[in-house]
Amino acid sequence: MATPHNTASIGEIAETVIMSGDPLRAKFMAEKFLENATLFNTTRNMFGYTGTYKGKKVSIMGHGMGMPSIGIYTHELYHFYGVKQIIRVGTAGCIQPGINIGDIVIAQAACTDSNYINNFLDIPGTFAPIGNFDLLTAAAKSSKDMNIPYHVGNILSSDIFYDSKENWKKWQKLGILAIEMECAALYTNAIEAKRKALTILTISDNIITKEETSSEERQKAFTNMMKVAFSII
């Protein structure tokens, strides 16, 4: 059974999916970590692969940029393909001192400036999307065991990439660790579907100092978060 965005048949996608915004990063992970990987989706060049990692069946797929995009792909994975847990690996810009380029941020929860949640849930208040506790604690332990610098806390999923008003300074005062563009939608979809989700980020940019990395580094060099993701499946 295909969807408008995924040509996979039922059974071709594993119950655990590791996702990245960049489909080329998904391709890189499949080639680096999976055995006997097969391509199950090329629609819109949003590549998806299924193979095995240390004997466990796992799928890898891109999800695009922004909450509408990840919202579509993860909804279909949870509701049409029987996926039980999604681990997002992505990049983010840090807004707190003491967090360095290359460090990992494990998202305990995700604030947002998007209207995605308001349209998705009819509730008389503000919903707070959080990650799965078991996955989060496993990722923190794995990072510690592998001596990978990591931070756990609240992040911001923003619709705005070019922040001309420097609103990040307001979020910084509230202790937000880093900014990306997808996690709040992922966590909301997972909670609504009664499934699991976790976001593991590598700091690619320092919004305070303006330090940044290249697109090639973001695609291929940030393997620590990938190692952590695969270690907890």
Side-chain angles (χ1 to χ4, degrees):
M1 179 181 66
T3 71
H5 314 93
N6 195 330
T7 56
S9 299
I10 298 298
E12 290 187 308
I13 300 177
E15 293 183 348
T16 295
V17 181
I18 296 175
M19 302 191 80
S20 67
D22 185 352
L24 292 179
R25 184 184 292 138
K27 180 175 183 291
F28 172 78
M29 284 193 290
E31 293 171 347
K32 183 175 179 64
F33 291 96
L34 294 187
E35 295 181 355
N36 304 313
T38 58
L39 182 67
F40 65 74
N41 187 65
T42 59
T43 300
R44 297 175 182 260
N45 283 330
M46 199 59 70
F47 305 130
Y49 304 84
T50 296
T52 58
Y53 176 76
K54 295 184 177 180
K56 296 180 180 179
K57 184 178 179 181
V58 60
S59 295
I60 299 172
M61 189 176 184
H63 59 64
M65 289 197 301
M67 280 172 273
S69 186
I70 194 173
I72 289 171
Y73 287 104
T74 58
H75 178 90
E76 292 180 352
L77 290 173
Y78 285 134
H79 290 278
F80 297 113
Y81 290 102
V83 171
K84 292 186 176 179
Q85 59 182 14
I86 294 174
I87 302 168
R88 158 168 153 72
V89 291
T91 55
C94 65
I95 58 173
Q96 294 293 342
I99 303 178
N100 301 310
I101 297 290
D103 285 4
I104 284 177
V105 168
I106 303 169
Q108 184 174 11
C111 301
T112 186
D113 57 20
S114 171
N115 200 39
Y116 182 91
I117 296 174
N118 294 335
N119 285 308
F120 194 78
L121 297 170
D122 183 17
I123 54 174
T126 302
F127 179 69
I130 61 173
N132 177 264
F133 180 77
D134 292 338
L135 290 176
L136 185 147
T137 52
K141 182 180 185 303
S142 183
S143 299
K144 184 177 181 180
D145 290 345
M146 289 190 277
N147 294 315
I148 296 172
Y150 73 98
H151 312 265
V152 178
N154 207 353
I155 66 167
L156 171 68
S157 298
S158 180
D159 279 343
I160 301 169
F161 186 84
Y162 296 106
D163 180 10
S164 60
K165 295 183 179 180
E166 294 192 324
N167 284 318
W168 64 268
K169 293 181 179 179
K170 299 175 184 177
W171 293 104
Q172 182 190 53
K173 292 179 181 179
L174 295 173
I176 297 300
L177 302 183
I179 302 175
E180 50 87 87
M181 304 184 75
E182 291 89 18
C183 184
L186 168 61
Y187 284 3
T188 300
N189 280 2
I191 292 168
E192 185 273 338
K194 296 180 173 58
R195 297 293 190 265
K196 297 180 179 181
L198 184 69
T199 291
I200 304 171
L201 303 166
T202 299
I203 298 302
S204 60
D205 306 88
N206 187 315
I207 297 174
I208 304 170
T209 66
K210 311 302 182 185
E211 182 183 2
E212 59 184 22
T213 55
S214 69
S215 59
E216 185 174 1
E217 287 176 306
R218 291 192 295 271
Q219 181 180 316
K220 296 181 178 180
F222 295 149
T223 57
N224 280 343
M225 64 178 173
M226 302 174 193
K227 293 176 183 176
V228 173
F230 277 97
S231 74
I232 65 173
I233 63 174

